[in-house]
Amino acid sequence: MTRILGIETSCDETSAAVLAGSGDAVALESLVILSQDVHRVFGGVVPEIASRQHLIALVPVVTRSLADAGIGLHGIDAVAVTNAPGLVGALLVGVSFAKALAFGLGVPCVGVHHMEGHLFATALEHADAVPPFTALLVSGGHTLLLDVEAWGRYRLLGRTRDDAAGEAFDKVAKLLGLPYPGGPHVERLARQGDPSRFRFSRPMLRRNQQPGDDDYYDVSFSGLKTAVLHAVRGSTPDDAAHIARAFHDALVDTLVEKTARAAAQFGRTRVVLGGGVAGNRTLAESLRERVRRLGAEVYAPSPRLATDNAAMIARAGLFHFERGERAPLDLNAFASQPLPGLVDA
Ligand code: KG4
Ligand code: ZN
């Protein structure tokens, strides 16, 4: 049994969590997430402010998560920290803190790729959300479609060619005059919209696409965002909900179709969603309906584990720790880095 402290500071959430167990038999003992509200007034994350806020919040957030778990610093066997991808200044706060803490306690430190964390998040709530499965990771910065044969063995099938799904939600929210982060606001407004009023074409979806085609699994959302911009220009305020609905339908249809193709091609009976956009109910429900005829089950995280959190970092960190991986003292932070464990497609 290992008790691991997870730390996440890659963007605008300062988070710490304590997780104990081994393999897939783990228990989450605490999770503290402090969301930096300050960025709302700027309509997006301001990197330097994010770093400074992490510096202020990290010690109290870690202290709180240890107290919630009922342990002291010496109850920790290892420290896991997000070291890529993300805002470098923000990541450096967590990385520097984690290395110093691990060194001071004389325990190992493990670096975790943020998107691999999202891949593990759903397993914390659903015992069956474990490999083999098809994974759709949809966050503010990334959109990845993967076939997961085993933890640590990932086949990258598709990705976005421009904007990430969450980024598209945030940009469309801005065009519609909704607050940041826009995903939940667009989802809510879209529910009130009439689906027959506007229609946007489904990006990268063509009839007769074959698994070998290079756009079979990739997605692209920047054209959709431009279509929304043109629709907003010629519309009345009453149209906002209808436009949100048309955008939402086009984006969800595209993601659902691509994910269902992957599950069918690899014969997977489990589909796991991860990342902030995975908290979107419509996406999970549409996917569930679409893959039912394949006999596949869909697992989506609750909003708390869908958005950035340290529990998923502790969970992915435990996996690497158990494989004997240890971060060197010069562990660094990187704005972008390929997912570890990629196998040839
Ligand atoms: O994974 P995450 O918390 O941070 C990154 O790693 O980027 O994802 C944040 C993104 C934001 O773009 C936000 O608008 C989006 O997730 N999001 C949603 C929903 N909740 C959060 N998008 C669509 N529907 C939602 N319900
Ligand atoms: Zn994330």
Side-chain angles (χ1 to χ4, degrees):
M1 204 273 295
T2 304
R3 180 167 282 111
I4 191 162
L5 171 71
I7 292 172
E8 156 67 37
T9 64
S10 70
C11 191
D12 57 347
E13 262 86 29
T14 313
S15 182
V18 176
L19 184 88
S22 65
D24 286 325
V26 293
L28 184 60
E29 298 188 331
S30 73
L31 170 58
V32 179
I33 306 171
L34 191 69
S35 290
Q36 302 178 353
D37 259 5
V38 56
H39 305 288
R40 270 167 214 266
V41 295
F42 301 103
V45 179
V46 183
E48 184 172 338
I49 297 179
S51 310
R52 290 177 185 275
Q53 295 261 320
H54 286 308
L55 209 49
I56 293 167
L58 193 50
V59 169
V61 164
V62 168
T63 304
R64 179 82 237 175
S65 81
L66 293 173
D68 287 356
I71 58 167
L73 276 175
H74 292 280
I76 300 165
D77 302 312
V79 181
V81 62
T82 310
N83 76 308
L87 302 169
V88 168
L91 287 165
L92 278 172
V93 176
V95 168
S96 305
F97 178 92
K99 288 196 293 185
L101 180 64
F103 182 74
L105 292 173
V107 301
C109 181
V110 184
V112 174
H113 189 285
H114 181 80
M115 297 311 292
E116 192 180 25
H118 279 302
L119 201 55
F120 275 89
T122 311
L124 290 168
E125 293 178 302
H126 301 280
D128 290 332
V130 292
F133 59 73
T134 299
L136 175 66
L137 298 182
V138 272
S139 71
H142 298 84
T143 302
L144 301 173
L145 182 61
L146 304 160
D147 182 65
V148 177
E149 198 176 288
W151 293 129
R153 280 186 69 79
Y154 314 123
R155 186 182 277 117
L156 180 61
L157 301 175
R159 60 193 317 160
T160 180
R161 296 199 176 173
D162 39 61
D163 294 352
E167 192 179 354
F169 267 101
D170 294 338
K171 287 178 175 171
V172 164
K174 206 172 243 182
L175 292 174
L176 295 173
L178 298 168
Y180 172 87
H185 299 281
V186 173
E187 183 184 16
R188 220 169 295 130
L189 187 63
R191 286 217 188 93
Q192 299 159 23
D194 176 348
S196 66
R197 293 288 300 279
F198 289 85
R199 188 183 160 84
F200 303 130
S201 60
R202 274 58 179 149
M204 313 284 278
L205 274 189
R206 289 180 292 108
R207 240 173 277 172
N208 307 326
Q209 270 171 318
Q210 301 297 321
D213 298 348
D214 63 1
D215 58 357
Y216 189 68
Y217 288 124
D218 278 353
V219 294
S220 156
F221 296 120
S222 88
L224 183 56
K225 175 193 67 196
T226 308
V228 170
L229 174 68
H230 289 304
V232 169
R233 280 196 180 139
S235 72
T236 65
D238 289 349
D239 287 332
H242 309 314
I243 294 172
R245 176 61 185 261
F247 161 76
H248 206 279
D249 285 354
L251 184 139
V252 166
D253 272 5
T254 306
L255 291 174
V256 164
E257 177 59 25
K258 302 265 166 167
T259 309
R261 285 176 180 180
Q265 192 190 343
F266 291 89
R268 301 302 183 206
T269 55
R270 287 184 284 242
V271 177
V272 174
L273 292 174
V277 184
N280 186 293
R281 291 273 203 79
T282 317
L283 173 63
E285 278 158 26
S286 309
L287 191 55
R288 211 159 268 143
E289 207 161 291
R290 174 68 175 75
V291 301
R292 192 173 295 138
R293 61 181 119 119
L294 302 172
E297 191 65 56
V298 175
Y299 301 96
S302 63
R304 187 171 162 78
L305 290 174
T307 51
D308 292 347
N309 68 85
M312 67 186 198
I313 302 305
R315 181 66 189 80
L318 178 63
F319 168 73
H320 289 286
F321 174 84
E322 289 186 319
R323 292 215 304 192
E325 294 169 34
R326 304 291 182 263
L329 268 178
D330 63 354
L331 174 72
N332 213 334
F334 301 96
S336 72
Q337 187 173 283
L339 193 70
L342 286 179
V343 295
D344 284 343

